[in-house]
Amino acid sequence: MSWWRVFSPLRCGVIVLCSMVLTACLSTAPQRATPTEITEVLSQPAQATPPAVTTPPETSPPLPAVTEQPQTYQELWQYIAANLSFDISPNARLQKRVEWYLSQPNYLLSVNERAAPYLYHIVKKVEQRKLPMELALLPFVESDFRPTARSSQGAVGVWQLVDATAYHFGLQSNDWYDGRQDVLAATDAALDYLQYLRQRFNGNWLHALAAYNSGEGRVKAAIRYNQKHNRSSHFWHLKLPRETADYVPKLLALSYLLQHPQTGLQRPSLANQAQTTVLDVGQPFNFGILAGLLNIDKQRLHQLNPGYLRHQSPVKGPFKVLLPMDQQQLFATDFYRRQFSTHYQVKLNDTLYGIARRHNTNVAQLKQLNNKTRDLIQVGEILLIHRAHAKDDLTVDYEISPYLQQQRPAKVATYEKHHVIQDGDSLWAVSRQYQVPMKDLLDWNKLTTQSLLSPGDTLILHLPVETASTPSTGAEADGSKDYLDELKTLVKPKRDP
């Protein structure tokens, strides 16, 4: 079978001719495209579809209505490929990236080993936000899915977030924990950032992706330059750094090859279901103690949770941990039943739905926790209900090892600052101007990342007293300075001699 027929969207003008040789092709084994054939297809512009010739319909009985059933996918990679949606236009840069992937057809097979514990959860997070499935592929483009990857520019993790971006989108970073290396926490921050960029670029995902790589200002400057010189502002026409110019084509090429497995890029085999479970321990924990109680390998627990930098979680959290087991396996452990469940005796007129609603859970989890396959319950029956309550001490005494001691940060006095929105202001720009996390800025003003700002609107900020710089003169200025100096002294952290 000639390979060009695989790419029917580019050859739709010859469908009639193809049908004449269909019978002969049915007996021919499918062939794999060569790089030359793929290059030829990608370098040709898309052909316009000729108008259909309409003929009067013959009189015939109406056909029975067909209800299309939603397709289910047993393989996660097949599911991802089926839900990719970007419109891909053939061009030389895309062709170059396709050839790069085809030069190493086993690329996904090796990277998938690192991605396997997290990919299902990332796909679900993308879907819940109704975002393009292509975004789930970004960790492959960014870091080859290496949770501890570090770039020369200081970007960290599978999503390659720099410290400022991570900070402004709510990720913690200290001596105990780096949220950029916590794959699922970093996913939330990265998707927040991408949604923000999409809004800033009026829904243009290619511009947003370019900005994710090189910065919002650089892409906006490239767009303004093209507009000033009466040039197209489409991504393919922008003058951007080489890395960014290749970044978007690399993502599109991977998307293209996943949708066309006949090209030769091998899809990994990965079940379309969660292989790991997130557990909010709800209190400080030691990896050794937790692994022992769950009967899992401590080293594996560390590997799945690279965001934790020590053997113990921070005193004030986060306390979420990714476990190498599915939810049903977790529910069956003695640790979960003792630490995260309580007993409930079924009463007259009780239903599983009613019990689940009263205890802030759902029927599926309730049935899974109690090994039920049906909704039937009996009066007097004892059910396990999800409810966290600390019964075990999951930490090691800090005095045992000075290495595990953590100093409590001193409280910093703040003052309220009002910022009036000017033309060109954005939430991101204001957060960077005042060096405050984007999450705090949104919380203080009861906004979301999708909120629109108008000139004249006022934002409230709570800034550390140390950064106060309000101009004033005369006695008023001296009084203000004395007050601030006194306040600084009161909140100044004590230092050891």
Side-chain angles (χ1 to χ4, degrees):
M1 184 189 297
S2 180
W3 175 252
W4 57 264
R5 236 180 297 154
V6 175
F7 307 97
S8 57
L10 301 179
R11 296 289 186 174
C12 56
V14 294
I15 294 176
V16 175
L17 293 177
C18 292
S19 63
M20 297 174 62
V21 295
L22 180 60
T23 304
C25 292
L26 288 174
S27 60
T28 306
Q31 300 176 3
R32 178 170 294 175
T34 65
T36 302
E37 290 172 320
I38 294 172
T39 299
E40 179 184 353
V41 171
L42 288 173
S43 61
Q44 294 184 9
Q47 301 293 326
T49 305
V53 179
T54 57
T55 56
E58 296 182 3
T59 304
S60 59
L63 294 174
V66 177
T67 302
E68 188 174 338
Q69 298 295 326
Q71 188 169 357
T72 58
Y73 296 92
Q74 300 300 318
E75 292 283 334
L76 182 59
W77 279 105
Q78 185 182 17
Y79 179 79
I80 291 172
N83 286 278
L84 297 170
S85 59
F86 279 1
D87 183 23
I88 301 177
S89 303
N91 60 69
R93 275 192 279 169
L94 177 61
Q95 171 190 326
K96 180 180 178 181
R97 301 313 306 180
V98 166
E99 291 173 354
W100 181 85
Y101 279 116
L102 291 180
S103 69
Q104 39 185 345
N106 294 326
Y107 166 79
L108 277 183
L109 298 181
S110 59
V111 179
N112 179 68
E113 294 182 10
R114 293 190 291 270
Y118 314 100
L119 188 56
Y120 178 86
H121 300 295
I122 292 175
V123 167
K124 292 305 173 186
K125 287 176 180 289
V126 169
E127 283 186 328
Q128 287 166 4
R129 296 171 180 245
K130 296 181 170 51
L131 298 174
M133 186 58 70
E134 279 81 358
L135 301 189
L137 302 177
L138 268 185
F140 296 86
V141 174
E142 284 285 356
S143 63
D144 292 335
F145 223 108
R146 298 180 186 276
T148 58
R150 290 179 178 269
S151 74
S152 57
Q153 289 76 33
V156 177
V158 299
W159 292 94
Q160 288 292 278
L161 295 170
V162 297
D163 188 58
T165 303
Y167 177 77
H168 285 288
F169 284 93
L171 286 182
Q172 298 183 42
S173 180
N174 50 50
D175 291 339
W176 292 67
Y177 173 83
D178 188 344
R180 296 173 296 173
Q181 293 184 184
D182 184 328
V183 176
L184 299 187
T187 297
D188 291 331
L191 295 181
D192 282 343
Y193 186 31
L194 285 162
Q195 285 184 285
Y196 159 79
L197 290 172
R198 181 200 181 193
Q199 180 182 348
R200 293 295 289 165
F201 288 96
N202 301 316
N204 189 312
W205 273 113
L206 297 190
H207 288 167
L209 289 166
Y212 184 89
N213 179 257
S214 67
E216 179 183 348
R218 184 169 289 174
V219 177
K220 282 188 174 294
I223 292 173
R224 286 195 299 268
Y225 179 87
N226 278 21
Q227 291 173 341
K228 181 179 179 180
H229 292 82
N230 296 319
R231 298 176 185 174
S232 170
S233 60
H234 194 284
F235 166 79
W236 299 110
H237 298 278
L238 298 181
K239 187 177 181 180
L240 296 168
R242 181 176 178 180
E243 179 187 346
T244 306
D246 290 339
Y247 175 80
V248 174
K250 189 175 181 182
L251 176 67
L252 297 180
L254 181 56
S255 172
Y256 176 84
L257 292 171
L258 283 172
Q259 295 176 73
H260 300 88
Q262 305 93 328
T263 55
L265 187 71
Q266 298 295 315
R267 282 187 193 167
S269 177
L270 187 61
N272 188 14
Q273 61 187 37
Q275 300 183 11
T276 54
T277 301
V278 177
L279 174 66
D280 189 346
V281 180
Q283 60 175 307
F285 64 89
N286 176 278
F287 274 82
I289 293 177
L290 189 62
L293 289 170
L294 289 167
N295 195 27
I296 54 180
D297 182 68
K298 182 177 72 172
Q299 184 177 359
R300 179 60 176 156
L301 194 60
H302 271 293
Q303 289 174 344
L304 287 175
N305 298 275
Y308 293 103
L309 307 179
R310 300 188 180 183
H311 297 300
Q312 195 147 313
S313 67
V315 176
K316 295 187 178 181
F319 306 128
K320 289 184 178 180
V321 61
L322 192 66
L323 302 176
M325 58 179 66
D326 61 31
Q327 194 174 66
Q328 188 169 1
Q329 291 172 317
L330 173 62
F331 287 170
T333 63
D334 291 337
F335 168 73
Y336 185 89
R337 290 169 178 264
R338 182 178 65 253
Q339 195 84 358
F340 295 93
S341 67
T342 189
H343 292 88
Y344 175 81
Q345 187 172 22
V346 177
K347 300 177 178 60
L348 187 64
N349 298 324
D350 268 345
T351 64
L352 283 179
Y353 174 77
I355 296 171
R357 186 173 180 180
R358 289 199 303 273
H359 292 85
N360 195 29
T361 183
N362 58 66
V363 172
Q365 189 180 67
L366 192 58
K367 290 170 65 176
Q368 197 171 41
L369 187 57
N370 290 276
N371 297 319
K372 284 185 170 292
T373 57
R374 297 187 298 172
D375 292 344
L376 296 178
I377 53 177
Q378 297 178 352
V379 175
E381 182 179 355
I382 303 297
L383 296 178
L384 287 175
I385 307 293
H386 176 84
R387 180 180 295 172
H389 45 86
K391 288 187 176 180
D392 297 326
D393 183 5
L394 306 179
T395 61
V396 175
D397 189 349
Y398 290 145
E399 297 304 322
I400 294 177
S401 171
Y403 175 73
L404 293 176
Q405 290 184 349
Q406 182 185 35
Q407 299 295 329
R408 293 186 178 181
K411 292 184 178 180
V412 178
T414 62
Y415 73 100
E416 187 173 290
K417 166 74 175 178
H418 290 192
H419 176 88
V420 179
I421 298 299
Q422 308 295 324
D423 286 335
D425 272 352
S426 67
L427 290 168
W428 173 251
V430 173
S431 69
R432 296 199 67 178
Q433 177 182 345
Y434 292 98
Q435 293 297 302
V436 297
M438 172 75 84
K439 183 178 184 300
D440 289 349
L441 185 61
L442 297 176
D443 289 343
W444 293 333
N445 295 277
K446 294 181 172 54
L447 299 173
T448 68
T449 53
Q450 284 75 41
S451 298
L452 298 177
L453 301 178
S454 301
D457 290 348
T458 300
L459 293 179
I460 296 174
L461 301 98
H462 298 278
L463 305 179
V465 169
E466 286 80 358
T467 62
S469 58
T470 51
S472 54
T473 58
E476 181 183 350
D478 293 338
S480 176
K481 184 176 184 301
D482 291 342
Y483 167 76
L484 292 179
D485 287 342
E486 181 181 357
L487 193 56
K488 288 179 185 178
T489 303
L490 291 175
V491 300
K492 185 177 180 180
K494 296 181 179 179
R495 300 182 180 274
D496 294 330

